[in-house]
Amino acid sequence: MIKQTLFVPVAGVLLSIACAQALAAPSPYSNFIVFGDSLNDAGQFADPDGPAGSTQRYTNRVGPTYKDGSGEERSANSTQILGGKLGFSADELAASTSAIRASQGQVDGNNWAVGGYRTDQILDSITTVSDTGDRSRPGYLANNLRADPKALYYLSGGGNDFLQGRILNEEQAYAAAGRLADSAQALQTAGAKYVMVWLLPDLGLTPALNGSGLQDFGTRLSGAFNQELVQRLTSIDAQIIPLNVPLMLKETFADPARFGLAADQNLSATCFSGKSCTENAVYGINSATPDPTKLIYNDSVHPTEAGQRLIADYAYSLLSAPWEITLLPEMAQGTLRAHQDELRNQWQADWENWQGVGQWRAMVAAGGQHLDIDSQSSAASADGSGYNLTVGGSYRLNDAWRVGLATGFYRQSLEAGNRDSDYKLNSYLGTAFAQFQQNRWWADAALTAGHLDYDNLKRKFDLGVAAGGEKGDTKGDLWAFSTRAGYDIAQSAASPWHLSPFVSADYARVEVDGYSENGASATALTFDDQTRTSKRLGVGLQGKYQLTPQTLVFGEVAHEREFEDDTQHLKIALNSLPANDFTLEGYTPQSDLNRLSLGVSHKLTADLALRGSYNLRKDDDFTQQGVSVGVSLDF
């Protein structure tokens, strides 16, 4: 916003610091490309009052004096902070058309936002030419260039149309919003898939207009601008991610202490720098206690470093949501695997040692599990734990067959992301199974169905100095079929050891119902239904050794190939903008998985046995471990 020559931007050292925090974070986008005005200008112009060779951004200096001529750089703006969180370098996030950078032999960056640009100039910077007044370049898509479908595009604008007197009525507000939507449309037509778009902040709540006779005028026309923009964005065939910045700022003004801001100051009518606005008497630049982190506005319309970080964190909370929420089906898959492991441990302990024909064998087992998921390009790291109780029994039909039923209750929790979001799941599973063993051949098959109760889903994220959070709950279902067949290569049935290669096939389908997080805050989201299907084939080797007449040790190793390993996608909408949904990438299932189980069974009496076991499933960035203790009784 404001004029190209007004003041502020680019500091490589600060930006490097901003970027360093996110090197290990998920980063599903190939590039981060910004268009807009001074709200996102990363340094197109020289900073006449900054260090030699520096460029300006439209926010406060870093301190401690915060004053022009102090040798202090400007703080990073929201796009630089967000880009750093996504793992992009300072050069990638730098200005696209800076004469200063060009004169120093530095590469052009991917931030095409220019202080003073109106919506028509923003569109030109995409389609025809980017002209800062100091330097001119062909626009981003000029000369029939294509957009990168894997890049994240970031778009804001409209404020200068108001400040330069181009919007005086609703029709002009609609036209300006249409031009900003045209910019998103041009990117989509050229191949862009992901476009994040700002809604215009309420100009009536900026120091430029707040408290004046133009406050209501600014609020009404910026609202008209956003109404038209939101409507236009719904018709663009791309994943348009709206940033409800006016609602985010409204919530900030309503509860400033939550965000570390001054609760006893008028944040919408005062600013930090005193330039074109009323300087805050307590925290302003010339006060006894200057502190831009206590205020939203640096000048009449531009945010301080606190406001910049708040907006960046808000944007990141939307982008990162699917990296965590697509792990919900994985929690259920983990529960299912633990349930299947529990049954197979019992079957291994029973191998070549079934109960008598016409008899029942009951089993009760309790255990615990740990789940470790490393971060991916589009999924967050997560750490989970859980416990279970399994009760079941089998009936031997004849020498070769037995059948059985088992039911299990599982309680699982998962902490995910850099703020340790907390997700909880109760699973209620039931399994019917059949087993065959005769003349060294053996086989088993199991059919499982389950109900999933996600009763406490707490998504957490940074929001300025505060920890933001949203809550919800949902339900789901699963069903699965698994089968194995093998051949015992032991010398005889009476041998103390048995060794058997086997093949396996598994199918599982988890469905998690869509749900809305509570309330309609700027960060509250609605998630669509999720379906996660698993199809696996495996080979393995199981064995056992009879240490004593009462004590048996057993184990199994296997390798499985997953054939449903496509990246998951999740449809999302802001609760405050339900019509503007978008779909983003999430978790990618592992293609290969290795399994190991070890156990020991000890007969306490002829009919009663005690069993303990350990299970491990592992791949490069996934580990699931479990331990259990169980008893079985023949009757």
Side-chain angles (χ1 to χ4, degrees), residues 25-345:
S27 186
Y29 305 105
S30 60
N31 219 328
F32 181 54
I33 303 169
V34 179
F35 301 94
D37 52 29
S38 56
L39 287 171
N40 294 314
D41 185 336
Q44 301 286 6
F45 305 107
D47 184 357
D49 299 311
S54 65
T55 54
Q56 65 178 12
R57 285 183 294 276
Y58 298 78
T59 187
N60 58 273
R61 298 192 185 278
V62 297
T65 72
Y66 306 102
K67 295 186 176 181
D68 294 342
S70 63
E72 299 163 2
E73 296 281 2
R74 298 283 179 177
S75 294
N77 68 23
S78 61
T79 61
Q80 295 169 302
I81 298 170
L82 175 60
K85 284 176 169 283
L86 293 172
F88 295 102
S89 69
D91 281 338
E92 291 173 307
L93 299 172
S96 66
T97 318
S98 167
I100 295 296
R101 287 182 63 87
S103 68
Q104 295 173 348
Q106 295 177 295
V107 297
D108 289 324
N110 294 316
N111 188 315
W112 297 71
V114 178
Y117 264 12
R118 303 180 305 272
T119 52
D120 57 315
Q121 294 169 305
I122 294 170
L123 180 57
D124 287 343
S125 71
I126 297 173
T127 58
T128 58
V129 65
S130 175
D131 189 354
T132 68
D134 293 339
R135 184 182 171 207
S136 178
R137 281 187 65 195
Y140 176 72
L141 295 176
N143 303 320
N144 297 316
L145 295 180
R146 298 290 296 168
D148 181 356
K150 294 185 178 181
L152 175 64
Y153 292 85
Y154 192 94
L155 181 64
S156 72
N160 287 310
D161 296 65
F162 285 87
L163 297 176
Q164 296 178 21
R166 301 296 183 95
I167 296 178
L168 301 175
N169 53 52
E170 289 186 351
E171 288 71 22
Q172 292 172 334
Y174 296 154
R179 289 190 292 272
L180 192 63
D182 288 342
S183 296
Q185 182 68 72
L187 291 168
Q188 183 274 325
T189 301
K193 185 177 181 181
Y194 303 103
V195 186
M196 179 169 272
V197 183
W198 275 46
L199 273 63
L200 185 67
D202 183 348
L203 297 179
L205 295 180
T206 64
L209 300 181
N210 191 250
S212 73
L214 294 176
Q215 178 176 340
D216 291 342
F217 171 82
T219 295
R220 178 171 59 85
L221 291 189
S222 53
F225 178 98
N226 286 333
Q227 180 182 358
E228 177 68 11
L229 178 62
V230 166
Q231 183 176 349
R232 279 289 310 276
L233 292 177
T234 60
S235 65
I236 299 175
D237 187 20
Q239 306 308 324
I240 306 295
I241 308 157
L243 277 183
N244 199 341
V245 175
L247 180 57
M248 183 76 259
L249 292 177
K250 182 178 179 180
E251 293 169 2
T252 305
F253 292 136
D255 188 9
R258 173 190 171 196
F259 305 98
L261 301 169
D264 58 348
Q265 301 296 306
N266 188 335
L267 301 180
S268 58
T270 63
C271 70
F272 177 70
S273 70
K275 295 182 178 180
S276 303
C277 60
T278 300
E279 181 183 336
N280 187 274
V282 177
Y283 298 109
I285 193 170
N286 295 305
S287 69
T289 54
D291 189 353
T293 67
K294 295 296 184 181
L295 305 172
I296 283 288
Y297 290 105
N298 179 58
D299 56 37
S300 60
V301 290
H302 299 105
T304 60
E305 60 183 278
Q308 301 283 2
R309 180 162 293 280
L310 182 65
I311 294 169
D313 287 344
Y314 171 41
Y316 192 74
S317 77
L318 306 186
L319 296 174
S320 62
W323 306 344
E324 298 181 8
I325 302 303
T326 53
L327 296 178
L328 298 185
E330 299 310 310
M331 294 177 70
Q333 291 280 357
T335 294
L336 173 63
R337 290 189 292 262
H339 180 70
Q340 292 172 332
D341 287 343
E342 192 68 74
L343 294 179
R344 289 171 179 169
N345 288 334

Side-chain angles (χ1 to χ4, degrees), residues 239-554:
Q239 306 308 324
I240 306 295
I241 308 157
L243 277 183
N244 199 341
V245 175
L247 180 57
M248 183 76 259
L249 292 177
K250 182 178 179 180
E251 293 169 2
T252 305
F253 292 136
D255 188 9
R258 173 190 171 196
F259 305 98
L261 301 169
D264 58 348
Q265 301 296 306
N266 188 335
L267 301 180
S268 58
T270 63
C271 70
F272 177 70
S273 70
K275 295 182 178 180
S276 303
C277 60
T278 300
E279 181 183 336
N280 187 274
V282 177
Y283 298 109
I285 193 170
N286 295 305
S287 69
T289 54
D291 189 353
T293 67
K294 295 296 184 181
L295 305 172
I296 283 288
Y297 290 105
N298 179 58
D299 56 37
S300 60
V301 290
H302 299 105
T304 60
E305 60 183 278
Q308 301 283 2
R309 180 162 293 280
L310 182 65
I311 294 169
D313 287 344
Y314 171 41
Y316 192 74
S317 77
L318 306 186
L319 296 174
S320 62
W323 306 344
E324 298 181 8
I325 302 303
T326 53
L327 296 178
L328 298 185
E330 299 310 310
M331 294 177 70
Q333 291 280 357
T335 294
L336 173 63
R337 290 189 292 262
H339 180 70
Q340 292 172 332
D341 287 343
E342 192 68 74
L343 294 179
R344 289 171 179 169
N345 288 334
Q346 183 63 51
W347 297 345
Q348 286 186 65
D350 293 347
W351 185 20
E352 297 286 351
N353 189 28
W354 287 358
Q355 68 270 32
V357 174
Q359 283 190 295
W360 287 89
R361 175 169 291 173
M363 59 88 71
V364 178
Q369 302 84 40
H370 180 77
L371 187 65
D372 183 21
I373 301 174
D374 294 341
S375 63
Q376 303 175 343
S377 64
S378 58
S381 61
D383 186 72
S385 60
Y387 55 86
N388 67 279
L389 176 67
T390 305
V391 179
S394 61
Y395 179 76
R396 187 166 184 176
L397 298 172
N398 51 45
D399 286 344
W401 288 93
R402 76 171 182 175
V403 295
L405 296 171
T407 185
F409 166 75
Y410 291 77
R411 174 67 170 177
Q412 188 176 3
S413 64
L414 189 74
E415 292 185 346
N418 64 340
R419 272 289 186 175
D420 291 334
S421 299
D422 190 12
Y423 304 106
K424 289 184 169 56
L425 168 64
N426 295 322
S427 303
Y428 308 88
L429 306 183
T431 296
F433 62 86
Q435 293 179 272
F436 169 84
Q437 63 178 30
Q438 190 173 49
N439 298 329
R440 299 192 182 184
W441 289 99
W442 63 270
D444 55 57
L447 181 64
T448 301
H451 174 69
L452 309 173
D453 180 14
Y454 295 90
D455 67 343
N456 195 356
L457 306 177
K458 298 179 181 178
R459 185 171 61 92
K460 302 176 185 179
F461 42 86
D462 291 327
L463 209 55
V465 299
E470 299 292 349
K471 298 180 181 180
D473 57 72
T474 188
K475 298 184 183 300
D477 299 284
L478 70 80
W479 74 273
F481 177 78
S482 65
T483 184
R484 301 183 302 168
Y487 182 78
D488 185 359
I489 60 175
Q491 293 295 319
S492 68
S495 173
W497 63 269
H498 290 268
L499 196 63
S500 175
F502 65 87
V503 294
S504 63
D506 290 85
Y507 176 88
R509 182 180 178 88
V510 171
E511 296 182 348
V512 178
D513 296 341
Y515 73 99
S516 294
E517 294 172 327
N518 302 332
S521 66
T523 53
L525 300 174
T526 292
F527 304 102
D528 201 10
D529 296 345
Q530 296 186 72
T531 298
R532 162 80 159 89
T533 301
S534 175
K535 298 176 183 177
R536 305 191 308 275
L537 292 178
V539 294
L541 185 69
Q542 74 173 25
K544 71 172 186 175
Y545 185 76
Q546 196 77 43
L547 285 175
T548 72
Q550 292 78 33
T551 305
L552 169 74
V553 293
F554 57 85

